[in-house]
Amino acid sequence: MDDMITIRQAVVTDVVDIIRHKQVVLQENASFMGRTAKEYRPTIEHELARIRKHQNETGIMLVAIHRDEVIGMLTFSRPSRPHYSHNGMFGMSIQERYTNQGLGHKLLNELLIFATNDPAIEKVSLEVYAHNERAIALYKRLGFTVEGQKPRHRKESDGSYVKDVLMSKIVT
C-alpha cells in the first residue's frame, strides 16, 4: 500500500471530500451498498451533522486520505440506550482503485483499537451483503464471526433478492 495514505478521524473540513468519496463508491459498487448513486442526495448540513455525531463519545468516523483526498472511510455508532450501548455497528467503504491493498484491514484495526480502549464497548457488529465475499473474508480474518442471516433482505430491480449477513466480534 502507498505510504502516502493516512488514516485519521474525520473533521468538519472533510465534508466535501466525504461527499465526493461516497458518490464515487456508490457509482463503483452500488451492489454492495444500501443505496444507489441516484438515491444519494447529500447536503453539506446533513454530512456535517454526521461528522459531528461521530466525534462524540458514542462513535467514531475514520477517513483514509491519499494526496488530500478521502479514498476510504469507516463509521461506527453505538446506541445511547443503556441496554444496547455496549454494542456498536460499523460500515466501511473504499474506492475500488484502493481495494486489495490492505486499506480495509488498516481501517478496521483502527476501529478495533478504538473499541478495545473504550471500556464501554464490548462488541463490534456489522451487516454485509452475502455476495460481498471480499469483505466477508476480511472480517473473518480479523476475528469476526457470523451471528445470523437476513434472507431476502434486499430486493433488486430485476426481482431477485440479496441476503444480509450479520457478523460481530467481542472486544473485551
Side-chain angles (χ1 to χ4, degrees):
M1 179 187 310
D2 191 334
D3 290 336
M4 302 295 292
I5 295 175
T6 58
I7 296 174
R8 63 168 171 73
Q9 287 195 44
V11 293
V12 294
T13 55
D14 293 324
V15 68
V16 172
D17 286 333
I18 287 172
I19 290 171
R20 190 175 301 120
H21 164 73
K22 288 180 179 183
Q23 290 169 329
V24 168
V25 169
L26 287 169
Q27 289 173 356
E28 292 177 335
N29 285 311
S31 70
F32 295 147
M33 310 306 276
R35 63 179 155 211
T36 66
K38 269 186 174 178
E39 295 167 329
Y40 179 56
R41 302 193 191 292
T43 65
I44 298 287
E45 294 77 22
H46 175 76
E47 291 300 331
L48 282 172
R50 289 190 76 241
I51 293 168
R52 289 184 181 114
K53 173 186 166 203
H54 286 94
Q55 288 176 328
N56 68 28
E57 68 278 354
T58 63
I60 189 169
M61 180 183 285
L62 299 172
V63 289
I65 307 289
H66 181 255
R67 297 185 179 152
D68 297 323
E69 176 188 356
V70 174
I71 52 102
M73 64 184 294
L74 182 148
T75 56
F76 174 79
S77 298
R78 289 184 11 232
S80 58
R81 294 171 46 201
H83 294 294
Y84 302 98
S85 64
H86 67 286
N87 180 35
M89 294 280 292
F90 79 88
M92 181 170 60
S93 60
I94 298 169
Q95 292 177 24
E96 192 60 36
R97 68 180 183 245
Y98 296 98
T99 61
N100 298 317
Q101 299 177 47
L103 183 54
H105 192 274
K106 282 183 131 181
L107 282 164
L108 276 171
N109 273 337
E110 289 297 318
L111 169 61
L112 293 172
I113 290 167
F114 168 81
T116 301
N117 289 331
D118 187 331
I121 301 172
E122 299 175 20
K123 182 178 175 184
V124 175
S125 302
L126 66 109
E127 294 184 17
V128 59
Y129 292 131
H131 66 277
N132 194 345
E133 296 171 0
R134 180 173 58 186
I136 292 170
L138 170 63
Y139 303 144
K140 286 182 176 179
R141 279 194 308 274
L142 288 170
F144 286 82
T145 58
V146 174
E147 288 190 331
Q149 299 179 0
K150 294 180 179 179
R152 296 173 61 127
H153 186 67
R154 173 180 165 150
K155 189 171 184 176
E156 301 294 340
S157 58
D158 66 1
S160 65
Y161 294 94
V162 176
K163 178 174 35 179
D164 211 17
V165 178
L166 294 88
M167 300 180 78
S168 70
K169 178 177 179 145
I170 304 300
V171 294
T172 57

